């Protein structure tokens, strides 16, 4: 094709890239939802002085927030087989992202619980609610409302972070972009379109999540 920009062949493969974008969204969404549940459990364990799990939860958060996420995923993929646990590339990345995100989400949720008015806790105690009922019915809905922007931002970060999955052979957006660039020899065209797709994905995800805030 000679010099210059030629997008025609790349645009013909746009459905292929969109399929990778869908894989990225699915990976990020699955990891975020599982991390949110795990992060909530960690946050409660850290906030309740009566919980015997408090040291373990704090240690978990310290470890996963102070080591590289990519190294954590490498450990899932390459080290676990030594113990007889063989995970697929997708599951390895999903598990690594989930554990890493749960530690950060735990910090976000701890901050939200700390901002919960004392009267909420006193009301729950007055009503005789147990620990699970207090958090699920009173504390968590309040925390989700006030910490929603931070949770929204972290999901977008996770969405962009799915590009790491390409290192392990997962055919998400970046993985498919690299492959397409290698067969078309149009790296700039492929990567520029991929960048636009990432911007669109992040914008749409952010807008959708902010719209869902009304339901929380």
């Amino acid at each position: 094709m000679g010099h210059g920009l030629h997008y025609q062949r790349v645009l013909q493969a746009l459905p292929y890239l969109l399929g990778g974008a869908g894989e990225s969204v699915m990976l990020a969404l699955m990891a975020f939802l599982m991390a949110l549940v795990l992060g909530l459990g960690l946050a409660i364990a850290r906030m309740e002085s009566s919980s015997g799990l408090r040291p373990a939860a704090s240690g978990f958060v310290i470890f996963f927030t102070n080591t590289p996420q990519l190294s954590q995923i490498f450990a899932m993929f390459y080290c676990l087989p030594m113990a007889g646990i063989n995970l697929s590339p997708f599951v390895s990345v999903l598990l690594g992202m989930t554990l890493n995100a749960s530690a950060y989400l735990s910090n976000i949720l701890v901050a939200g619980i700390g901002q919960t008015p004392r009267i909420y806790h006193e009301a729950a105690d007055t009503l005789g609610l147990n620990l699970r009922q207090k958090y699920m019915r009173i504390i968590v809905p309040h925390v989700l409302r006030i910490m929603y922007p931070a949770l929204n931002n972290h999901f977008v970060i996770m969405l962009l972070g799915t590009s790491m999955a390409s290192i392990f052979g997962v055919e998400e957006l970046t993985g498919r972009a690299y492959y397409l660039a290698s067969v078309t020899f149009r790296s700039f065209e492929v990567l520029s379109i991929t960048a636009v797709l990432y911007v669109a994905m992040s914008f749409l995800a952010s807008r959708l999540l902010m719209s869902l805030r009304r339901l929380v």
Side-chain angles (χ1 to χ4, degrees):
M1 290 185 180
H3 299 290
L5 299 178
H6 301 277
Y7 281 91
Q8 183 177 2
R9 187 176 177 186
V10 178
L11 289 175
Q12 290 174 348
L14 187 57
Y16 175 73
L17 291 176
L18 290 175
E23 187 84 356
S24 295
V25 172
M26 180 176 67
L27 177 59
L29 185 60
M30 291 175 63
F32 180 79
L33 293 176
M34 291 190 295
L36 187 60
V37 174
L38 179 56
L40 177 59
L42 290 169
I44 294 174
R46 292 167 62 193
M47 293 298 290
E48 295 295 326
S49 58
S50 60
S51 173
L53 297 175
R54 189 173 187 177
S58 298
F60 179 97
V61 172
I62 291 172
F63 176 81
F64 279 97
T65 56
N66 290 279
T67 54
Q69 183 180 26
L70 185 58
S71 297
Q72 296 162 13
I73 299 175
F74 265 110
M76 306 292 173
F77 190 66
Y78 291 108
C79 297
L80 288 182
M82 298 179 184
I85 304 174
N86 296 295
L87 303 177
S88 68
F90 183 90
V91 173
S92 298
V93 175
L94 176 62
L95 181 59
M97 289 184 63
T98 297
L99 294 177
N100 182 270
S102 67
Y104 285 98
L105 293 179
S106 172
N107 285 338
I108 293 174
L109 294 171
V110 163
I113 294 172
Q115 295 179 38
T116 303
R118 185 63 189 170
I119 191 173
Y120 282 41
H121 296 271
E122 295 173 351
D125 295 336
T126 301
L127 293 172
L129 301 181
N130 58 36
L131 185 65
R132 183 187 63 83
Q133 292 172 329
K134 179 176 75 170
Y135 275 92
M136 292 300 101
R137 296 182 182 181
I138 298 178
I139 308 301
V140 171
H142 174 74
V143 170
L144 291 179
R145 282 194 296 270
I146 63 175
M147 302 307 294
Y148 202 91
L151 296 173
N152 185 354
N153 289 339
H154 197 81
F155 174 76
V156 173
I157 291 173
M158 291 180 66
L159 180 60
L160 298 177
T162 58
S163 59
M164 289 186 297
S166 62
I167 299 174
F168 302 91
V170 179
E171 287 195 352
E172 43 68 65
L173 180 54
T174 295
R176 294 195 179 196
Y178 287 161
Y179 173 76
L180 186 60
S182 70
V183 298
T184 61
F185 300 102
R186 290 293 169 183
S187 298
F188 181 85
E189 291 90 331
V190 172
L191 295 179
S192 61
I193 291 178
T194 302
V196 171
L197 290 177
Y198 271 117
V199 171
M201 287 162 53
S202 300
F203 177 78
L204 292 175
S206 181
R207 296 293 295 181
L208 178 60
L209 289 173
M210 291 306 294
S211 298
L212 292 175
R213 185 179 186 178
R214 303 187 185 96
L215 302 178
V216 177

